[in-house]
Amino acid sequence: MSSIGDGTRAVRAGLPEPQQYEPTLPGPVFAAHFHLSGEPVGPYTYGRETNPTWTHLEKAIGELEAPGEEVVTTVFASGMAAISAVLFSQARAGDIVVLPTDGYQALPLVREQLEAYGVEVRTAPTGGDGQLTALEGAKLLWIETPSNPGLDVCDIRRLVEAAHAGGTLVAVDNTLATPIGQRPLDLGADFSVASDTKGMTGHGDILLGHVTCRDTDLAAGVRRWRKVVGAIPGPMEAWLAHRSLATLQLRIERQCSTALTLAEALVERSEVTGLRYPGLPSDPSYPVAVRQMRRFGSVVSFELADRQTAERFLESLRLVDDATSFGGLRSTAERRGRWGGDAVSEGFVRFSVGAEDPEDLLADVAQALDAATR
Ligand code: PLP
C-alpha cells in the first residue's frame, strides 16, 4: 500500500494477517533452535539465521523504507553491525571505498579495519557533494546525510547518478532522518542503512540496526555476513522495536516540528553561533534538504562560546538529559567535543529534541542559556 499516510503505515507495518485468538503483534519468540526433522530447510532452522520476531520487524521496516515494493531488510544487533555488514560484505582487498570525512565518529575505526584488509579508503566531506570528486573506480560510496553531528546534507540523487555511471554502489546511513524523513532507496541508493537505536525505536532503551536493499544478491551478501559474524538482535529487542515503530510517525512528526521551533528560537539568541538545522530556510543544507527530505530530523546543532559555557548550559537544563545518542522521546543534549572524535569546537552542542511540549522545552532552553551566559 503506497497510497496510505505515514501514520497509518507505521501503526500497521509488518503485522501478520489477523488470526482468531492470536495477538495483533505476536510476542517475541525465544528460540536457539526450532523443531526440524529431515532436510534442514527454513524458514526457521537455527536462531542465528532467522527468527519469526525478526521476520515481522524486517517486513515492517521494509514497508517504511519502500512502501508497496518488494525489498529485503536484515536487522542487526546495532547500527554498527548493520554498517559493517554492508561494507565488509562488499569490499574486497584492492577495492576502493569512499567514506565521508564528517560521518559518525566510529567510521574512522571502520576505515582502519578496511585498510587492514587491503581496501583503499578515500574520504571527502558531505557538504557541497564533496564525495563526487572521490568516486573514480570506487566499489562503494558511503553517504551519511544529514551528517552527524554537523548536519550537512548532500544531494543523494546526484551522487547516486554519478556513482552508478561508474559502476559504484551507494549506501546511505539514514539514521538521523529515519524512513519517515527520507527514503534513500527512492532516491536511487542500493542500501538504506540505519542505527535503529535512535529515532526508529525512539525510547533510548535498545540497540538495533538494519539494512534494506532492493537487489536480492546484495541483500544475500548482507544476510550471509550476519550469519558469519552473528551480530543478531535479541528477540526481545526486535519485538520492542516493532512495538515502537507503531508510534514512529507520531514521534518523529512531533520531534521534527519542535526541532524547527527550537532552531527558530535559537536564531534570536546572540550567544548562539554556528546554528544548524536542515529545515531552517536560512541553513546551508536547506536547498538540498527540501528536495529530498520529507521531515528534517530531531537534531539541532549549535555552538556556545567555549567549553565552560556549554557545560553550564547543559547543567542548567532541567527537562533535557546530558546524554549521548539522539532521536529519543526525551530530549538529550551533549557537548560533542567531549568524545574527541568529531571536528567540532569545544562549545559545540548537539541537541536532540524529544516529544515534550514545545513551550516547556523552549522555556527550559531559554533559562539554561540565560544561566550559562550570566
Ligand atoms: N550511524 C549514525 C549516524 C550514528 O549516529 C550512530 C550512533 O550514534 C551509528 C551509526 C551507530 O549506531 P549504534 O550505536 O546503534 O551501533
Side-chain angles (χ1 to χ4, degrees):
M1 279 196 290
S2 54
S3 59
I4 57 171
D6 289 337
T8 311
R9 184 172 299 110
V11 297
R12 299 219 61 84
L15 297 181
E17 286 300 312
Q19 279 198 35
Q20 187 80 325
Y21 311 127
E22 291 295 326
T24 310
L25 175 63
V29 174
F30 296 99
H33 57 261
F34 300 85
H35 291 293
L36 180 72
S37 52
E39 291 303 309
V41 177
Y44 300 109
T45 55
Y46 184 62
R48 183 167 25 79
E49 280 200 51
T50 42
N51 174 295
T53 312
W54 305 348
T55 307
H56 294 308
L57 174 61
E58 287 169 342
K59 185 164 174 285
I61 296 174
E63 288 171 18
L64 295 163
E65 286 277 6
E69 282 188 58
E70 281 292 317
V71 289
V72 184
T73 295
T74 308
V75 288
F76 287 89
S78 68
M80 282 313 298
I83 289 172
S84 300
V86 173
L87 287 163
F88 292 101
S89 67
Q90 289 306 315
R92 307 274 180 278
D95 284 345
I96 298 165
V97 166
V98 181
L99 299 179
T101 43
D102 48 352
Y104 176 54
Q105 62 171 0
L107 284 186
L109 296 176
V110 175
R111 175 187 189 154
E112 270 175 34
Q113 199 60 54
L114 286 165
E115 287 174 343
Y117 291 150
V119 175
E120 183 189 332
V121 177
R122 294 182 194 147
T123 59
T126 301
D129 299 340
Q131 289 173 302
L132 276 177
T133 58
L135 289 178
E136 180 78 42
K139 173 77 188 284
L140 182 82
L141 165 65
W142 190 270
I143 292 174
E144 187 182 308
T145 181
S147 62
N148 166 30
L151 304 181
D152 274 329
V153 162
C154 61
D155 185 334
I156 299 178
R157 270 199 196 91
R158 183 172 177 223
L159 283 157
V160 164
E161 219 168 88
H164 284 176
T168 305
L169 294 167
V170 181
V172 176
D173 182 332
N174 200 37
T175 301
L176 207 137
T178 83
I180 288 282
Q182 171 173 276
R183 291 195 200 123
L185 298 185
D186 280 357
L187 300 167
D190 302 287
F191 303 91
S192 180
V193 187
S195 164
D196 300 326
T197 311
K198 312 286 186 306
M200 274 291 263
T201 55
H203 291 69
D205 50 13
I206 54 177
L207 282 105
L208 204 87
H210 80 266
V211 179
T212 303
C213 324
R214 271 201 194 95
D215 184 290
T216 49
D217 288 340
L218 295 179
V222 168
R223 286 203 162 228
R224 185 175 179 281
W225 181 260
R226 180 176 68 180
K227 180 175 170 178
V228 170
V229 176
I232 56 168
M236 192 69 207
E237 282 78 1
W239 184 83
L240 280 169
H242 198 160
R243 186 181 191 272
S244 304
L245 284 184
T247 55
L248 182 68
Q249 187 270 350
L250 276 178
R251 290 185 281 110
I252 299 294
E253 188 76 46
R254 164 70 160 238
Q255 292 174 242
C256 293
S257 122
T258 310
L260 177 60
T261 310
L262 174 65
E264 285 166 347
L266 291 175
V267 169
E268 305 299 327
R269 300 287 306 217
S270 58
E271 62 275 69
V272 170
T273 57
L275 174 68
R276 297 300 306 268
Y277 184 65
L280 205 57
S282 57
D283 191 278
S285 292
Y286 185 78
V288 180
V290 81
R291 288 205 302 272
Q292 68 190 15
M293 300 184 76
R294 298 158 66 235
R295 295 174 181 86
F296 301 103
S298 58
V299 179
V300 177
S301 296
F302 55 92
E303 287 173 47
L304 295 175
D306 50 28
R307 175 182 177 152
Q308 288 72 24
T309 313
E311 283 175 349
R312 276 201 303 275
F313 169 69
L314 295 169
E315 280 162 20
S316 306
L317 288 164
R318 296 183 190 121
L319 298 176
V320 182
D321 296 331
D322 186 348
T324 196
S325 207
F326 57 84
L329 280 162
R330 297 174 195 91
S331 290
T332 56
E334 70 168 333
R335 201 179 62 78
R336 198 58 193 167
R338 66 181 173 172
W339 294 96
D342 300 314
V344 293
S345 69
E346 287 292 317
F348 182 98
V349 174
R350 185 181 71 185
F351 196 112
S352 171
V353 176
E356 299 85 2
D357 288 304
E359 52 277 19
D360 294 339
L361 195 62
L362 263 65
D364 194 32
V365 170
Q367 69 74 25
L369 282 173
D370 291 343
T373 51
R374 196 167 284 143

Coordinates of all heavy atoms in Angstrom, one line a residue, residues 77-81 83 103-106 144 146-148 173-176 194-198 206-209 324-326 336 350, ligand 1:
A77 N 22.2 -6.4 15.5 CA 22.3 -6.1 16.9 C 22.5 -4.6 17.2 O 22.3 -4.2 18.3 CB 23.4 -6.9 17.6
S78 N 23.0 -3.9 16.2 CA 23.3 -2.4 16.4 C 23.4 -1.8 15.1 O 23.5 -2.5 14.1 CB 24.6 -2.2 17.2 OG 25.7 -2.7 16.5
G79 N 23.5 -0.5 15.1 CA 23.8 0.3 13.8 C 25.1 -0.1 13.3 O 25.3 -0.2 12.1
M80 N 26.1 -0.2 14.2 CA 27.5 -0.5 13.7 C 27.5 -1.9 13.0 O 28.3 -2.1 12.1 CB 28.5 -0.4 14.8 CG 28.9 1.0 15.2 SD 29.3 2.1 13.7 CE 30.7 1.2 13.0
A81 N 26.7 -2.8 13.6 CA 26.7 -4.2 13.0 C 26.1 -4.1 11.6 O 26.6 -4.7 10.6 CB 25.9 -5.1 13.8
I83 N 26.2 -1.3 9.6 CA 27.1 -0.6 8.7 C 28.2 -1.6 8.3 O 28.6 -1.7 7.1 CB 27.7 0.6 9.5 CG1 26.7 1.7 9.7 CG2 29.0 1.1 8.9 CD1 27.1 2.8 10.6
G103 N 31.3 11.9 9.0 CA 30.3 10.9 9.4 C 30.4 10.5 10.8 O 31.2 11.1 11.6
Y104 N 29.6 9.5 11.2 CA 29.6 9.1 12.6 C 31.0 8.7 13.1 O 31.8 8.2 12.3 CB 28.6 7.8 12.6 CG 28.6 7.2 14.0 CD1 28.3 8.0 15.1 CD2 28.9 5.9 14.2 CE1 28.3 7.4 16.4 CE2 28.9 5.3 15.5 CZ 28.6 6.1 16.6 OH 28.6 5.5 17.8
Q105 N 31.2 9.0 14.3 CA 32.6 9.0 14.8 C 33.3 7.6 14.9 O 34.5 7.5 15.1 CB 32.7 9.7 16.2 CG 31.8 8.9 17.3 CD 32.1 9.5 18.7 OE1 32.9 10.4 18.9 NE2 31.4 8.9 19.7
A106 N 32.5 6.5 14.7 CA 33.2 5.2 14.6 C 33.6 4.9 13.2 O 34.3 3.9 13.0 CB 32.2 4.1 15.1
E144 N 26.4 9.7 4.4 CA 25.6 10.0 5.7 C 25.0 11.3 5.6 O 25.7 12.3 5.6 CB 26.5 9.9 6.9 CG 25.8 9.9 8.2 CD 26.7 9.8 9.4 OE1 27.6 8.9 9.4 OE2 26.6 10.7 10.3
P146 N 21.3 13.7 6.7 CA 22.2 14.7 7.2 C 23.4 14.1 8.0 O 23.2 13.1 8.7 CB 21.4 15.6 8.2 CG 20.0 15.3 7.7 CD 19.9 13.9 7.2
S147 N 24.5 14.7 8.0 CA 25.7 14.2 8.7 C 25.6 14.4 10.2 O 25.0 15.4 10.6 CB 27.0 14.8 8.1 OG 27.0 16.2 8.4
N148 N 26.2 13.5 10.9 CA 26.1 13.6 12.4 C 27.5 13.9 12.9 O 28.4 13.1 12.7 CB 25.6 12.3 13.0 CG 25.8 12.2 14.5 OD1 25.8 13.1 15.2 ND2 26.0 10.9 14.9
D173 N 23.6 6.0 5.1 CA 23.2 5.9 6.5 C 22.1 6.9 6.8 O 22.3 8.2 6.8 CB 24.5 6.3 7.4 CG 24.2 6.1 8.9 OD1 23.0 6.3 9.3 OD2 25.1 5.9 9.7
N174 N 20.9 6.4 7.0 CA 19.7 7.2 7.2 C 19.3 7.4 8.6 O 18.1 7.7 8.9 CB 18.6 6.6 6.3 CG 17.5 7.5 5.9 OD1 17.7 8.7 5.7 ND2 16.3 7.0 5.9
T175 N 20.2 7.2 9.5 CA 19.9 7.2 11.0 C 19.2 8.4 11.4 O 18.1 8.4 12.1 CB 21.2 7.0 11.8 OG1 21.8 5.8 11.4 CG2 20.9 7.0 13.3
L176 N 19.7 9.6 11.0 CA 19.2 10.8 11.5 C 17.8 11.1 11.0 O 16.9 11.6 11.7 CB 20.1 12.0 11.2 CG 20.1 13.1 12.1 CD1 21.5 13.6 12.5 CD2 19.2 14.2 11.6
A194 N 20.7 1.9 8.8 CA 20.4 2.9 10.0 C 20.8 2.2 11.3 O 20.7 1.0 11.4 CB 19.0 3.3 10.0
S195 N 21.1 3.1 12.2 CA 21.1 2.7 13.6 C 19.7 2.9 14.1 O 19.3 4.1 14.2 CB 22.1 3.6 14.4 OG 21.8 3.4 15.8
D196 N 19.0 1.9 14.4 CA 17.6 2.0 14.9 C 17.6 2.2 16.4 O 16.5 2.3 17.0 CB 16.8 0.7 14.5 CG 16.8 0.6 13.0 OD1 16.8 1.6 12.3 OD2 16.8 -0.6 12.5
T197 N 18.8 2.3 16.9 CA 18.9 2.7 18.4 C 18.4 4.1 18.6 O 18.0 4.5 19.7 CB 20.5 2.8 18.7 OG1 21.0 1.5 18.2 CG2 20.7 2.9 20.1
K198 N 18.3 4.9 17.5 CA 18.0 6.3 17.6 C 16.5 6.5 17.3 O 15.7 5.9 18.0 CB 18.8 7.1 16.6 CG 20.3 6.7 16.6 CD 21.0 7.3 17.9 CE 22.5 7.2 18.0 NZ 23.0 5.8 17.8
I206 N 17.0 0.4 23.6 CA 17.6 -0.7 22.9 C 18.6 -0.3 21.9 O 18.5 0.8 21.4 CB 16.5 -1.6 22.2 CG1 15.6 -0.7 21.3 CG2 15.6 -2.3 23.2 CD1 14.6 -1.5 20.5
L207 N 19.5 -1.2 21.5 CA 20.4 -1.0 20.4 C 19.9 -1.9 19.3 O 19.6 -3.1 19.5 CB 21.8 -1.3 20.7 CG 22.5 -0.2 21.5 CD1 22.7 -0.6 23.0 CD2 23.9 0.1 20.9
L208 N 19.9 -1.4 18.0 CA 19.4 -2.2 16.9 C 19.9 -1.5 15.6 O 20.2 -0.3 15.6 CB 17.9 -2.2 16.9 CG 17.3 -3.4 16.2 CD1 17.1 -4.6 17.1 CD2 15.9 -3.0 15.6
G209 N 20.0 -2.2 14.5 CA 20.3 -1.6 13.2 C 19.6 -2.4 12.1 O 19.1 -3.5 12.4
T324 N 24.5 11.1 25.5 CA 24.7 11.0 24.0 C 23.5 10.4 23.3 O 22.5 10.2 23.9 CB 26.0 10.2 23.8 OG1 26.5 10.4 22.5 CG2 25.9 8.7 24.1
S325 N 23.7 10.0 22.1 CA 22.6 9.4 21.2 C 21.6 10.5 20.9 O 21.8 11.7 21.3 CB 22.0 8.2 21.9 OG 21.4 7.4 20.9
F326 N 20.7 10.2 20.1 CA 19.6 11.2 19.7 C 18.4 10.5 19.1 O 18.4 9.2 19.0 CB 20.2 12.1 18.6 CG 20.7 11.5 17.4 CD1 19.9 11.1 16.3 CD2 22.1 11.2 17.2 CE1 20.4 10.5 15.2 CE2 22.6 10.5 16.1 CZ 21.7 10.2 15.1
R336 N 29.6 17.8 22.3 CA 30.1 16.7 21.4 C 31.6 16.6 21.5 O 32.1 15.5 21.3 CB 29.6 17.0 20.0 CG 29.6 15.9 19.0 CD 28.8 14.7 19.5 NE 29.1 13.5 18.7 CZ 28.8 12.3 18.9 NH1 28.0 12.0 20.0 NH2 29.1 11.3 18.2
R350 N 25.3 19.3 20.5 CA 24.3 18.5 19.7 C 23.0 18.3 20.6 O 23.1 17.7 21.6 CB 24.9 17.2 19.3 CG 23.9 16.5 18.3 CD 24.4 15.1 17.8 NE 24.4 14.2 18.9 CZ 24.9 12.9 18.8 NH1 25.5 12.5 17.7 NH2 24.8 12.1 19.9
Ligands
PLP1 N1 25.2 5.9 12.3 C1 25.0 7.1 12.9 C2 24.7 8.3 12.1 C3 25.0 7.2 14.3 O1 24.8 8.4 14.9 C4 25.3 6.0 15.1 C5 25.4 6.1 16.6 O2 25.3 7.1 17.2 C6 25.6 4.8 14.4 C7 25.5 4.8 13.1 C8 25.9 3.6 15.2 O3 24.8 3.0 15.8 P1 24.8 2.0 17.0 O4 25.3 2.8 18.2 O5 23.4 1.5 17.1 O6 25.8 0.9 16.7

